[in-house]
Amino acid sequence: MTSGMRSRPKGRPRAGSRGYAKLVRLHHVSGGRLSARVLDGRKIGDEIQAELRDQLRELKAARMTPGLAAVLVGENPASQIYVRNKVKTCEALGLYSERIECPAATSTENLLGLVARLNARDEIDGILVQLPLPPQVDSKQVLEAVDPAKDVDGFHPVNIGKLVSGRPGLVPCTPAGIIEILVRSQIPISGARAVVVGRSDIVGKPVAMLLLHHHATVTICHSKTRDLAAVAREADILVAAIGKAALVTADFIKPGATVIDVGTNRLTTPEEVRRVFHHPAGPLRQLEAKGSVLVGDVQPEDVREEAGAYTPVPGGVGPLTIAMLMANTVKAARLRRGKEAFRSQPSLAG
C-alpha cells in the first residue's frame, strides 16, 4: 500500500497542534513573505521507480519479467497521451508491455473477449483498460471481467473489498500515490484530521480508506455537504478530488495544513483564466502560447499563501499515479507467480 508508516519522531508536534502547523509549514522566506513547502511528485515518483528497477533486476535474474497490457478504445487524445506515457515508463523500467488499440465502435462483447484472452495469458501480469470507454460500452462490466489478480488499476470489487477490510491487494494507483507523497514527505498521518473533498470510486473513497488505515480521522465531503469550506478548514490534511477548477480557495484551507490537489482541469478561454486567478497576467500569456492552462481543484495562489505544504498541478499527484501503476504491475507478478518472488518485496502499493 505504501512504503510504510513512520512513527512520530521524538519532539515532533502532534498533528492538529499549533506546533504541527509550524512544522509542516517548512517555508522558504522570499521578500519577507512565507510560502508553503512544495511536495514534488516528480522527485518522489523517480524515487519509487529507482526502487522498482532494483526489484526488476532481481526478478529478471530469476527469469521473470512482469508484463502489462494497456487497452485503448477509440481516439480520445487525453487517453492516448496517458497510455503512451504508461507504455513509455514500462519500457524505461524494463517491464514487458503491450499497447492494444481498439476502434471507437468496439462493442462490450468484443472487449469482454479481449479481456478474457488477456486473463488467460501467463506473461501478462497486469491489465489496464483506459477510461473513459465509449458510451456504447458497459464500462463496469468490462472492468469487472478483469482477473482481480491482474487488476493493476485496483478497481475490481474484489480489490476494493480487500482495501476496505485491510487485507493485502492491488490498491488504486492515485490514492496509493497520495499516501506515498505524505509518508515520504514525513507528513504525519496518524492522529491527523483528514478531509477528502470528493467521493469517487477511483480516488475519494479509496484515499479516505487508506488514510483511515493510517490512523487519520477522516471526513468525506461532496457537493451536498453543508458549509463545505468550514468542514474543509478543519483538516490537517486536505485532499481535493472533486473535479472542479480552483473550487478550494483560501477559506477552505486551515493555515499550515497539507493540501493534496488531485484535480486536472484545463482552462481554454481568457474568461476562465481571469475567473480562477487573482493575478492572471502570467496564465494569460501561457494560454496564448499553449492554448490552455492546467489547474487543479485548488486555487494555486491561495494554497501557496495558506498551506504548510501542497502538491502543485502539474508535477504533484500525476507522476505518482504512473509510478504506482508500475509498482502494482510488479506486485501483481509477485503475487501471481509464487512465494519465491516475495522474498524482498517492499510494501509499495499495498
Side-chain angles (χ1 to χ4, degrees), residues 13-94:
R14 187 169 299 281
S17 68
R18 209 174 275 178
Y20 171 81
K22 282 187 177 180
L23 174 72
V24 295
R25 199 175 176 90
L26 298 174
H27 357 263
H28 307 287
V29 180
S30 175
R33 169 167 282 185
L34 298 175
S35 61
R37 172 189 175 196
V38 177
L39 304 179
D40 188 342
R42 292 190 177 98
K43 179 180 177 183
I44 296 170
D46 288 345
E47 290 174 4
I48 291 171
Q49 291 189 34
E51 294 165 13
L52 291 174
R53 285 190 184 93
D54 291 340
Q55 294 180 58
L56 286 165
R57 279 192 287 269
E58 175 194 341
L59 293 175
K60 288 185 176 183
R63 298 182 180 180
M64 181 193 305
T65 300
L68 173 69
V71 178
L72 178 63
V73 183
E75 299 178 355
N76 182 300
S79 294
Q80 289 180 326
I81 292 170
Y82 294 149
V83 170
R84 183 166 64 245
N85 288 342
K86 290 164 184 176
V87 171
K88 184 178 178 181
T89 305
C90 282
E91 293 171 351
L93 288 174

Side-chain angles (χ1 to χ4, degrees), residues 17 23 93 99 128 132 139 152-153 167 172 198-199 206 219-220 241 254 268 313:
S17 68
L23 174 72
L93 288 174
R99 173 174 170 160
L128 163 71
S139 299
V152 288
D153 265 331
R167 297 169 60 192
R199 55 179 168 180
T219 300
I220 302 178
K254 177 182 179 180
T268 58
V313 177

Side-chain angles (χ1 to χ4, degrees), residues 3 7 45 95 102 128 142 144 146 149 153 166 170 183-184 186 204 212 225 238 273-274 281 286 294 331 347:
S3 53
S7 60
L95 277 76
C102 303
L128 163 71
V142 171
E144 291 183 2
V146 175
D153 265 331
L170 297 171
V183 170
R184 291 171 185 260
Q186 300 184 34
L212 185 63
T225 299
L238 177 61
V273 170
R274 291 190 184 95
Q286 182 182 343
L294 188 66
K331 182 177 182 180
S347 55

Side-chain angles (χ1 to χ4, degrees), residues 84-115:
R84 183 166 64 245
N85 288 342
K86 290 164 184 176
V87 171
K88 184 178 178 181
T89 305
C90 282
E91 293 171 351
L93 288 174
L95 277 76
Y96 173 69
S97 65
E98 292 185 13
R99 173 174 170 160
I100 302 170
E101 298 189 29
C102 303
T106 298
S107 67
T108 299
E109 290 70 24
N110 286 339
L111 274 182
L112 290 173
L114 172 60
V115 168

Side-chain angles (χ1 to χ4, degrees), residues 84-201:
R84 183 166 64 245
N85 288 342
K86 290 164 184 176
V87 171
K88 184 178 178 181
T89 305
C90 282
E91 293 171 351
L93 288 174
L95 277 76
Y96 173 69
S97 65
E98 292 185 13
R99 173 174 170 160
I100 302 170
E101 298 189 29
C102 303
T106 298
S107 67
T108 299
E109 290 70 24
N110 286 339
L111 274 182
L112 290 173
L114 172 60
V115 168
R117 293 191 293 274
L118 293 173
N119 283 340
R121 289 176 56 185
D122 193 55
E123 75 275 22
I124 297 297
D125 298 290
I127 301 171
L128 163 71
V129 180
Q130 183 64 46
L131 301 177
L133 293 172
Q136 79 277 4
V137 175
D138 185 335
S139 299
K140 185 173 290 188
Q141 189 177 355
V142 171
L143 293 176
E144 291 183 2
V146 175
D147 182 346
K150 297 188 178 187
D151 168 40
V152 288
D153 265 331
F155 295 161
H156 196 282
V158 168
N159 286 320
I160 294 298
K162 288 180 177 180
L163 171 60
V164 170
S165 61
R167 297 169 60 192
L170 297 171
V171 177
C173 299
T174 298
I178 290 168
I179 299 298
E180 289 293 334
I181 289 173
L182 294 171
V183 170
R184 291 171 185 260
S185 302
Q186 300 184 34
I187 304 296
I189 304 175
S190 181
R193 177 71 186 276
V195 173
V196 179
V197 182
R199 55 179 168 180
S200 73
D201 294 335

